[in-house]
Structures are given as C-alpha cells and as structure tokens.
Amino acid sequence: MTEAEFDHAISVLRANKVRLTPQRKLILEYLINHHTHPSVEMIYDDLKDNVDNISMATVYNTLKLFVDYNLVIELKNGDGSTHYDYFGHPHYHVVCDNCGKISDVFDEHFSEITKELQAMSREKTGYLVTGCHIEVHGICPDCQRKLHLNNQ
C-alpha cells in the first residue's frame, strides 16, 4: 500500500467529517492493498480474526460509506454478487463471462476516454453526469485454455 493513497483517502473522509474508527481504517487499508475485487464476505473472513468488534454489518456499512465518498466502487458480478475496488487510480475493468474474474486495466488514455463518454452522455441525454465506470466483458486467458478457445 502506498501511504499516499491511504493518506489521501483519510483526508477525504476527514474533510467530510467522517469518524475514522479502527475498523474503517483497516477496511480501507485492506482495499488499497488487495486488488482481488473482494466481496463483503471475503473482507469479513480475512479480517474477523485480527480485528475486535468487526461484523458483516460493519463491513457493509463501511463499504457503503466509501462508495458514497467515491473512494471505492461497486462491481456487480455476472453471478449476482457484488465486489468492491479501491478507486485511487482511475482504471476500467475486464470481466470474464465464464468464471467472473475481474481484472483491472490501467491505461494512460482512460481519463480522456471517460471525459469524452461523459460529455457525449450529457449532450445526448441532458443528464448531469456524476461519474462513470467502464466494464469490458470477455473470456479470460485461463478460461480460453480450459474451453480450448485459444487454439483457433
């Protein structure tokens, strides 16, 4: 984890007068360090033995808070589950339609693309666009091998 990312996120929460409990700090640190797009259950299972006073409700409520302050985004998986991703560095996601794996894609053109997409959306719909998250779907390399799709 870069301290700068953690410090930035903490400053956003402080600026919004959010109480910084030990549980919230730990969940934030976990999300910054884990690029596995964990679910609530995964976060809880990984932290429950090391943290006093943590419950599934604490994890749910903390994640909702982080989403509300644009520090974390929700990713709806094809299997109906919800996963979470710290969004300190803007990026988009590629989701495997076979196994549900989610991969981060960092690209220098991402900011330009999202600005264009938001402007076009405003122009065509009149919406006040407040953000966007881009997902690309396909079949991951592991599933391609398992399904014998990469031999074509």
Side-chain angles (χ1 to χ4, degrees), residues 4 24 36 88 104 116-118 140:
R24 287 177 178 168
T36 56
D104 292 335
E116 284 182 37
L117 186 60
Q118 290 174 347
C140 73

PDB file of all heavy atoms in Angstrom, residues 4 24 36 88 104 116-118 140:
ATOM      1  N   ALA A   4       0.626   7.328   0.436  1.00  0.00           N
ATOM      2  CA  ALA A   4      -0.034   8.475  -0.190  1.00  0.00           C
ATOM      3  C   ALA A   4      -1.503   8.174  -0.484  1.00  0.00           C
ATOM      4  O   ALA A   4      -2.368   9.028  -0.272  1.00  0.00           O
ATOM      5  CB  ALA A   4       0.693   8.879  -1.465  1.00  0.00           C
ATOM      6  N   ARG A  24     -12.840   1.038  10.204  1.00  0.00           N
ATOM      7  CA  ARG A  24     -12.886   1.727   8.910  1.00  0.00           C
ATOM      8  C   ARG A  24     -11.490   1.871   8.312  1.00  0.00           C
ATOM      9  O   ARG A  24     -11.293   1.670   7.115  1.00  0.00           O
ATOM     10  CB  ARG A  24     -13.539   3.098   9.059  1.00  0.00           C
ATOM     11  CG  ARG A  24     -15.026   3.013   9.272  1.00  0.00           C
ATOM     12  CD  ARG A  24     -15.653   4.370   9.484  1.00  0.00           C
ATOM     13  NE  ARG A  24     -17.095   4.222   9.648  1.00  0.00           N
ATOM     14  CZ  ARG A  24     -17.890   5.177  10.077  1.00  0.00           C
ATOM     15  NH1 ARG A  24     -17.409   6.373  10.381  1.00  0.00           N
ATOM     16  NH2 ARG A  24     -19.175   4.947  10.203  1.00  0.00           N
ATOM     17  N   THR A  36      -7.967  -7.825  -5.544  1.00  0.00           N
ATOM     18  CA  THR A  36      -8.712  -9.029  -5.890  1.00  0.00           C
ATOM     19  C   THR A  36     -10.202  -8.763  -6.050  1.00  0.00           C
ATOM     20  O   THR A  36     -10.962  -9.704  -6.254  1.00  0.00           O
ATOM     21  CB  THR A  36      -8.517 -10.098  -4.802  1.00  0.00           C
ATOM     22  OG1 THR A  36      -8.901  -9.528  -3.540  1.00  0.00           O
ATOM     23  CG2 THR A  36      -7.074 -10.558  -4.740  1.00  0.00           C
ATOM     24  N   GLY A  88      -8.438   4.520  -6.254  1.00  0.00           N
ATOM     25  CA  GLY A  88      -7.463   5.598  -6.112  1.00  0.00           C
ATOM     26  C   GLY A  88      -6.817   5.986  -7.423  1.00  0.00           C
ATOM     27  O   GLY A  88      -6.519   7.149  -7.658  1.00  0.00           O
ATOM     28  N   ASP A 104      -8.197  -5.447 -13.475  1.00  0.00           N
ATOM     29  CA  ASP A 104      -8.008  -4.006 -13.630  1.00  0.00           C
ATOM     30  C   ASP A 104      -7.194  -3.736 -14.883  1.00  0.00           C
ATOM     31  O   ASP A 104      -6.252  -4.465 -15.183  1.00  0.00           O
ATOM     32  CB  ASP A 104      -7.229  -3.427 -12.449  1.00  0.00           C
ATOM     33  CG  ASP A 104      -8.001  -3.462 -11.148  1.00  0.00           C
ATOM     34  OD1 ASP A 104      -9.247  -3.479 -11.198  1.00  0.00           O
ATOM     35  OD2 ASP A 104      -7.361  -3.458 -10.086  1.00  0.00           O
ATOM     36  N   GLU A 116     -14.689  12.036 -22.556  1.00  0.00           N
ATOM     37  CA  GLU A 116     -15.455  12.041 -23.806  1.00  0.00           C
ATOM     38  C   GLU A 116     -16.797  11.339 -23.634  1.00  0.00           C
ATOM     39  O   GLU A 116     -17.826  11.820 -24.099  1.00  0.00           O
ATOM     40  CB  GLU A 116     -14.663  11.356 -24.921  1.00  0.00           C
ATOM     41  CG  GLU A 116     -13.556  12.199 -25.492  1.00  0.00           C
ATOM     42  CD  GLU A 116     -12.835  11.481 -26.634  1.00  0.00           C
ATOM     43  OE1 GLU A 116     -13.497  10.768 -27.427  1.00  0.00           O
ATOM     44  OE2 GLU A 116     -11.604  11.643 -26.724  1.00  0.00           O
ATOM     45  N   LEU A 117     -16.789  10.207 -22.970  1.00  0.00           N
ATOM     46  CA  LEU A 117     -18.014   9.443 -22.750  1.00  0.00           C
ATOM     47  C   LEU A 117     -19.007  10.239 -21.908  1.00  0.00           C
ATOM     48  O   LEU A 117     -20.208  10.276 -22.204  1.00  0.00           O
ATOM     49  CB  LEU A 117     -17.672   8.113 -22.081  1.00  0.00           C
ATOM     50  CG  LEU A 117     -18.793   7.109 -21.900  1.00  0.00           C
ATOM     51  CD1 LEU A 117     -19.400   6.715 -23.241  1.00  0.00           C
ATOM     52  CD2 LEU A 117     -18.269   5.878 -21.176  1.00  0.00           C
ATOM     53  N   GLN A 118     -18.515  10.917 -20.867  1.00  0.00           N
ATOM     54  CA  GLN A 118     -19.395  11.723 -20.026  1.00  0.00           C
ATOM     55  C   GLN A 118     -19.967  12.908 -20.802  1.00  0.00           C
ATOM     56  O   GLN A 118     -21.156  13.213 -20.700  1.00  0.00           O
ATOM     57  CB  GLN A 118     -18.648  12.184 -18.783  1.00  0.00           C
ATOM     58  CG  GLN A 118     -18.360  11.059 -17.822  1.00  0.00           C
ATOM     59  CD  GLN A 118     -17.489  11.475 -16.652  1.00  0.00           C
ATOM     60  OE1 GLN A 118     -16.895  12.540 -16.639  1.00  0.00           O
ATOM     61  NE2 GLN A 118     -17.395  10.605 -15.661  1.00  0.00           N
ATOM     62  N   CYS A 140     -11.545 -14.783 -20.052  1.00  0.00           N
ATOM     63  CA  CYS A 140     -10.162 -14.614 -19.580  1.00  0.00           C
ATOM     64  C   CYS A 140      -9.247 -15.685 -20.199  1.00  0.00           C
ATOM     65  O   CYS A 140      -9.730 -16.718 -20.679  1.00  0.00           O
ATOM     66  CB  CYS A 140     -10.093 -14.664 -18.059  1.00  0.00           C
ATOM     67  SG  CYS A 140     -10.312 -16.311 -17.330  1.00  0.00           S
TER      68      CYS A 140
END
